[in-house]
Amino acid sequence: MLQILQLLLSGIAQGCIYGLIALGFVLIYKATETVSFAQGELMMLGAFCAFAAMSLVGLPFWGAALLAIAAMAAFGVLLELVVIRPILGQPQFSIVMLTIGIGYVARGLITMIPAIGTDTHSLPVPYKDEIWKLGALVVNVEQAVIVGATAVLCGLLYAMFRYSKLGIAMQAASQNQLAAYYMGIPVKRLNGLVWGLAAAVAAIAGMLLGPITFVHANMGFIGLKAFPAAVVGGFGSLPGAIVGGLVIGIVESFAGFYLPDGFKDTAPYIVVLVMLMVRPNGLFGEKLRKKV
Amino acid sequence: MTTAPGLATLSAAPGAQAQARPTSGGPAAVNADVLLSARELSVRFGGVLAVNKVSFEVRRGEVFTLIGPNGAGKTTVFNLISRIYTPTTGEILWHGGGDAPTALTAHAPHEIAALGIARTFQNIELFEHATVLHNLLIGRHTHRCTGFWREVFFTPGTRRAEIEAREKVERVIELLDLQHHRDAMVAGLPYGVRKVVELARALCTEPKLLLLDEPSSGLNVEETADMAFWIQDIQQELGISVLMVEHDMSLVSKVSDRVLAMNMGEALASGTPREVQSDARVVEAYLGAVDDLSSLRRRPHE
Amino acid sequence: QSQGVTKDEIRIGTIQDLSGPLAGYGKQARNGMQLRVDELNEQGDVNGRKLKLFVEDSGYDPKKAVLAAQKLVNQDKIFIMAGHLGTAQNMAAMPVQFEKNVVNFFPITAAREMYEPLHRLKYSFAATYYDQIRLALPKMIKDKGAKKVCTIYQDDEFGLEVERGAEAGLKTVGMELTEKTSYKRGATDFSSQVAKMKAANCDLVVLGTIIRETIGTVGEARKTGFNPVFLGSSAAYTDLIHKLGGKAMDGIYATHTAQHPYLDEASQPLRFWANKYKTKFNEDPTVFSVYGYSIIDAFIKAAQKAGPNLTTDSFVKAMDTMTFEPDMFGAPKSTYTATKRLGNDQSRLSQIVDGKWKVVSDYVAP
Amino acid sequence: MRFIFKTSYAQDIALARHGGHVFWYGLLGAALIAAPWVLPEYWLAQLTFVLIYGIVGLGLMLLAGFTGQFSIGHAAFLGTGAYTQAVLANAGVPFPLALGAAAALSAAVGVVVGLPALRVKGIYLGIATLAFGFIVEEVFARWERVTGGNSGLHVNSPQLFGLDIGSSENFYVVCLLIAVLCTFAILNLLRSPTGRAFVAIRDSEISAQSMGIHLARYKTMSFAISAALAGLGGALYAHKLSFIAPDQFNIVQSIDLLLMVVIGGLGSVHGAFLGAIFLIAMPQLISLGKDWLPPAIGQAPGLQGLVYGLVLIGFVLFEPLGLYGRWLKVRTYLQLFPFYRRGLFRRQKAFTKSDRLR
Amino acid sequence: MNDGDTVLQLLNVESAYGPIKAIRGVSLKVRQGEIATVLGANGAGKTTILKTISGIIDPRKGSIEFEGRNITAQDPAQIVQQGLCHVPEGREVFPLLSVRDNLLMGAYTRSDRDGVARDIETVYGYFPILRERAAQHAGLLSGGQQQMLAISRAIMAAPRLILLDEPSLGISPKLTREIFEIVVRINRERGTTILLVEQNANMALNAADYGYVLENGRIVMEDSCERLREKEDIKEFYLGLKDEGVRGERRWKKKKTWR
Ligand SMILES: Nc1ncnc2c1ncn2[C@@H]1O[C@H](COP(=O)(O)OP(=O)(O)OP(=O)(O)O)[C@@H](O)[C@H]1O
Ligand SMILES: Nc1ncnc2c1ncn2[C@@H]1O[C@H](COP(=O)(O)OP(=O)(O)OP(=O)(O)O)[C@@H](O)[C@H]1O
Ligand SMILES: CC(C)C[C@H](N)C(=O)O
Ligand SMILES: [Mg+2]
Ligand SMILES: [Mg+2]
């Protein structure tokens, strides 16, 4: 029983990480209808930012965190300005390709930093290696922090898209750019904002993840497991991203324990396939159909 | 005004209950003239009852028009016939294939074209990144006679079939005057031409029944007149029955043999164009009373 | 005349992981090799020939290793492949080399496949993972009174070698593995593997892991309050473990041959060497720099011996009578013959104490 | 600009539009046939890889460029072909038979992978194929008895009628032959009803359906053909590389394949091969360029990825139609030469609409 | 009406899609408070003119002035923010937003909450079906309902100039009439200037004050609508009033029978 609880707990924590990254995907998807393959890399950059601020500059954790978030947000805006904006309006697929390219570049650049890029680093967060004991249950503070941050972030983003004019305008721009222009929605500016926001979210994810998987150039690949999370939840639904992440995390944790080796790595993908068979639009996705 | 010979007699009656014929032995006994009959069709989307117990029949060789205010459920009826939606209740029978009528719900959406029903869309659904010619050739899909491997090796038979398809398509192009646009990408065509291309594509399937959703919307008077001629050609020379949704009453009264007016998903009135147009309820819900537009004008003192 | 040898040049190829999970190792090994190459070129030559080193990156990916090997062999026309890092990568690349009669010289991995089955062009220098664990494990079990032994290993030829060594070692004391669990090359999350071993109540875990996996596994175990004895192979014997993993890594054991050059306690020549390394690459040398350096050093010695007419045949002939004496890095003596292609089979045991590897046993031979 | 008078419908159907086509493609063919005698071994090997990737690219082009179904798991088919070929070749099955089996098995897997395509689209389909890719990769890794697991598998040299055709030159000719045949097959398919049905599905499923196109059948078919070509390519790849391991068929490979067709130019058969040339030549060019750079940059391991990413970004930014699009412009420029107007290819403002409703 | 100051002025504007020139040297003027209309056959370039004005297409040549400011080739969003709103051809609603959110987006450039709330009520008054469907996805409305929504969005924006592209597309006869009444009312009551493109020339010529006739991308005729209504050509080709004239019931082009 305790075993199951412990597995559940670690599944939830891992799931929150997936959810957090998926949140970034969904954010970009909802606001621009593109799928960003660079989200994992942005996260990696965010983690490196925080790492640099703490280890190289020597800032305290909170200072470094804020700095990293701000720096990444600025970077996101800049990225949009330089590479995304020129082809805004081209088929979404082009932008997806761009994000793949951005991913390569980010990984390449980081790897090229002498003596730092190729190595693995640990992020010295203040709560590192701390654990809470609830009876026999061990709760990792690192993981608890992830769960908390994820919940808060999800709530904020949800409120933005649901109630704020800006959030609705972002969705409008993604659904019909032309009409958005006709309505005077500053599509380009919003797009920049979205990328800034997504990069900030990625930075947060990176810092939360840093203590657990370490900071290294390839840490962004974990994003590949966040895709299934986003799909299981229904791409385009923020709460869905979190729930999807949890489902994937928990399934993974149990599969790793009870099933033979190899199932753990494939479990998320099996789950997503089953989900697509049963509910092609995910748990929270709406069934959309073109009216002719 | 042209009317197909032999079809001038119209049994006008709102709804099918009133239309009930002395049937003796099931659907097969229905008037041999009937091509498609819908009975008690209803469909519900969540809280919206888009079509509510609508019955009608389309006869061979006629132009049958659906009119009604926006949101009356006309397009939904089309979508039910082309199996994009499945009716909540009611059935649609197709009498076009051999002797026994079949229920359309027994067919998959892609089989409808092969039965001989082709349609156009209200919002134009063309293959945007292909040329007009290509679009029309796709329209001939139901007539393909080559298999996969024959196409891979492009056997002489395939070549022949291709040339034949091309000849057929070329006739449609000529009928609808599309020669100019033959090799143009659809994406760059003006709205009006696209409407015609869509009609042409539907014709390429060589249908028995053609569903036209607002064929004249976006066309000016002159072009609408052309459209009227085409519809008449299609009806009279090609012998294709037409089921049409249209808001332009001049076109409606020019080409249609019978009209069914709908409102809020229900059948409101049916009969000849003239009868329906003079129906008080239709005028009230759809046509509007005043015909004088001068009230729109700016009065001199303003 | 063999390819890669001209009147005044010998072309040496090497494939390292410069961008993948073992980038830490690859870079150090390359630097070590480069240092010895430069040294030679500055101070002299091998029978009138200078050395030229061709480095390719495999990213610890066998496919890239094959492509790199094809490039080195067919395009750069190397004479010899030296110090290629990684078991799976070597296994993949060797056929390409052998087709063109290029020797696979001292790959940086201790898998048995590096000299078995016997092949004219294979030379290996490191006591195998198999032997390392097979010998160290029974001793550990005895010392620690372990009852249940588990293993976590990388799911490829490297991990399997460790796992097989563990099984063989257990057999000698009449035990069996309680739990086996594996992970994929490049994995970063080991929570379920650790949970499995914890649930099995293991008190000794054999680590078929390398850098991040070692840290990840041990770290995860410590976090969940699971504290068995950890025993790794020479693949995990690196200063990166305690540098990255911090305090949590204290106490783990690993087998190895050469020693990490901690400068504060090193001998004078070693310090001199380390200084040279540091001036050149601006970082402290590690045990993998040592590997790289020694490999080129050994090559130079054998090539000297092969004489001015350097061909693959003459090189093989020279190698087959070579003996390398213990050097300043603490490696034992190693010898080669036409049928003995593993130079040395002795290994020893170290433990991390206060953030440093401390040797805890002497060399043992099988 | 060349103006062609058409005098018969057959002219529209013909593969070569005019004499110039015949001439230039003839020249290309001659050059390719002469290659084994002119090119050094290493470059011939690269050319062989181009052909192999070109075959795979053809398949993916059919799927992504013509049917509009994006697959982010195409490496799975490549792998299926490669492993089938490896296992059969190692068991001594003659080369052509093994090749057929590889293509057939991949096609079968393609049908299975195509199943979700009937229900889901866009990003959902992408993830579904991605998921399949991961699972297939895991199968390669776990089915150790057959595949040798993560340690990989060595592939024997291909045998034809007891002859070893594994030498660089022979194998090149084999690949060339297969590539040419595949290209013709695809071209034929594209100019007949099946190919048109694919395009119809790409542009509008709803109206394709109302034109009588059986969406499920054609999507499945597209997946199957695409997978078969990938399998074929995989089989050749296995021989050419002579060593295969599961992680050669991972997501990165899949993305590379996708990049290949996009950079080549989605929706053109030329694009498949141009993309393949790019994919193979790029790392070569980078490593050639390395020596010119200061060592701190040139020797840095991330350089490859960086340049690759930059080139990709550059392509999307400046040439969204891919290499083939660029080629068309160059050609038009040459044809129009003195009369070329600068604004001719200026990109218009464009606006996206939701892809979710299709 | 000809005395009011000019709100919108196009000077010799030329726009093209790639190599295809869609309008060639169009000059027109819309004066404060008037309704101007552009008539023209299919493909004449009417839509292109409107798109060029609102910045969706950059003109190759010529200049566009709105309220005295040059807006040539500016960013569309920026143009709109200056007080101009475009009801596009083919509805272009936000399919996955609710009807209400669509309306709110119409009012994106406005910051007076009360005014927006009031206008929503006004619009619901014009088109009660929109109130009924306020929470439904706009993409699921029928064609005509979407058209109503598109027009309503422009009303929500409360601009000084509205560009209307075929507002009667797919609208029932009764509603067409109502929509024109609404257009006229907005023009009269709020003083909104309107540039109207419409296939229903009869409606357009009655509602508008000044008209332009466009053929093949060139303006071939312009005059007050009063006078245009009386022109024979207009009657014949745009109003279809010519009974038994050149065309009459017979088609002017003899079709050869086929099949
Ligand atoms: N898929 C759907 N989901 C929800 N409601 C729908 C759907 N399709 C149609 N409706 C609703 O059903 C009603 C009828 O729509 P339909 O498109 O049939 O109208 P129509 O008669 O064609 O109108 P118009 O003349 O404006 O095109 C409308 O109120 C519409 O909102
Ligand atoms: N996206 C495009 N690409 C290429 N050419 C185009 C494009 N859009 C329009 N055109 C061309 O520009 C010309 C003018 O088109 P426009 O849409 O302005 O006509 P219109 O007068 O609005 O016609 P309609 O009454 O059919 O709406 C047409 O000849 C058309 O072929
Ligand atoms: C150098 C070693 C860490 C390489 C590792 N033993 C492997 O075979 O992959
Ligand atoms: Mg409709
Ligand atoms: Mg228009």
Side-chain angles (χ1 to χ4, degrees), chain A residues 161-179:
Chain A
F161 277 118
R162 190 84 169 70
Y163 302 110
S164 84
K165 186 161 127 181
L166 212 61
I168 299 174
M170 285 176 182
Q171 296 176 62
S174 77
Q175 291 169 21
N176 191 338
Q177 234 170 44
L178 190 58

Side-chain angles (χ1 to χ4, degrees), chain E residues 26-41:
Chain E
V26 167
S27 303
L28 58 78
K29 241 188 216 172
V30 184
R31 277 159 287 256
Q32 174 64 44
E34 80 168 357
I35 301 180
T37 183
V38 178
L39 303 179

Side-chain angles (χ1 to χ4, degrees), chain E residues 1-2 8 120 162 167 185 191 201 210 259:
Chain E
M1 277 126 281
N2 293 357
L8 181 76
I120 284 206
I162 300 183
R185 246 172 81 188
Y210 201 81
R259 214 190 229 190

Side-chain angles (χ1 to χ4, degrees), chain D residues 128-169:
Chain D
T129 51
L130 179 116
F132 251 110
F134 272 106
I135 292 170
V136 170
E137 187 194 339
E138 198 63 31
V139 170
F140 293 150
R142 297 290 157 185
W143 197 8
E144 293 179 8
R145 221 157 29 81
V146 176
T147 63
N150 270 326
S151 333
L153 192 61
H154 280 280
V155 188
N156 290 349
S157 206
Q159 304 286 326
L160 189 62
F161 309 122
L163 236 69
D164 188 339
I165 49 170
S167 79
S168 290
E169 290 79 14

Side-chain angles (χ1 to χ4, degrees), chain D residues 118-129:
Chain D
L118 310 180
R119 310 243 301 157
V120 300
K121 315 187 182 67
I123 174 67
Y124 291 95
L125 177 61
I127 303 298
T129 51

Side-chain angles (χ1 to χ4, degrees), chain A residues 3 6-7 10 14 18 111 114-116 118-122 128-129 131 138 140 142-143 211-214 216 218 222 252-253 255-262 264-265, chain C residues 18-21 23-24 27 153 180-184 187-193 195-199 211-212 215-216 219-220 222-225 240 243-245 248 283:
Chain A
Q3 183 64 59
Q6 190 72 57
L7 281 175
S10 86
Q14 188 68 25
Y18 297 149
T111 319
I116 292 179
T118 48
D119 288 352
T120 305
H121 313 273
S122 62
K128 190 170 165 56
D129 292 338
I131 47 178
V138 187
N140 229 306
E142 288 160 9
Q143 298 180 331
I212 294 180
T213 63
F214 299 105
H216 54 92
N218 288 330
I222 197 174
E252 207 183 38
S253 152
F257 190 76
Y258 290 107
L259 297 178
D261 286 340
K264 180 179 178 209
D265 292 324
Chain C
L18 300 176
S19 55
K27 202 175 53 182
Y153 60 96
K180 306 200 279 191
T181 168
S182 66
Y183 66 89
K184 227 161 100 176
T188 52
D189 169 41
F190 308 93
S191 53
S192 68
Q193 284 91 335
K196 252 186 179 172
M197 295 190 291
K198 186 182 179 199
I211 312 175
R212 281 207 297 259
I215 304 170
E220 174 78 21
R222 301 270 196 250
K223 266 184 230 162
T224 49
L240 292 172
K243 274 197 186 139
L244 288 174
E283 59 187 27

